[in-house]
Amino acid sequence: MTPRPIDASEIDSLVELWFHGWRDAHASIVPAELTRLRTRDSFRAPLRDALPVVRVVGAPGAPLGFHWVRGDELHQLYVAAPARGTGVAAVLIV
């Protein structure tokens, strides 16, 4: 597994991964209003803007996980539920 740049055609696949990953990690611990605001569209625009710094693991159109770095900070890291525990996160963090 090697992280690769994302192609603009993959945005919808990553939006789905991010949407479900965010809900898995946050929906039960944040106010319901925040969960209502976290729609697929709320993830799409920031992801499109961050394309140059997003790296993905997995086949085009079938991402296993992604990260994005902002400056020197790991800003986002999400792994698809079926890929959790497989080492995808470790590959993305290195």
Side-chain angles (χ1 to χ4, degrees):
M1 286 184 279
T2 302
R4 61 177 175 76
I6 178 180
D7 183 88
S9 67
E10 297 180 273
I11 287 177
D12 288 340
S13 297
L14 287 184
V15 164
E16 284 301 307
L17 192 159
W18 193 5
F19 176 79
H20 291 292
W22 189 92
R23 287 179 177 261
D24 286 351
H26 297 92
S28 66
I29 60 172
V30 300
E33 180 59 25
L34 181 55
T35 299
R36 279 192 293 280
L37 293 172
R38 295 293 190 241
T39 64
R40 287 167 176 85
D41 286 338
S42 75
F43 294 118
R44 188 170 282 106
L47 186 59
R48 187 174 289 120
D49 292 344
L51 283 179
V53 294
V54 173
R55 295 296 175 266
V56 63
V57 169
L64 299 175
F66 76 92
H67 80 239
W68 120 35
V69 174
R70 186 187 293 171
D72 291 335
E73 174 188 358
L74 178 59
H75 178 63
Q76 300 291 337
L77 173 69
Y78 283 90
V79 176
R84 293 177 192 157
T86 66
V88 169
V91 168
L92 288 165
I93 290 174
V94 173

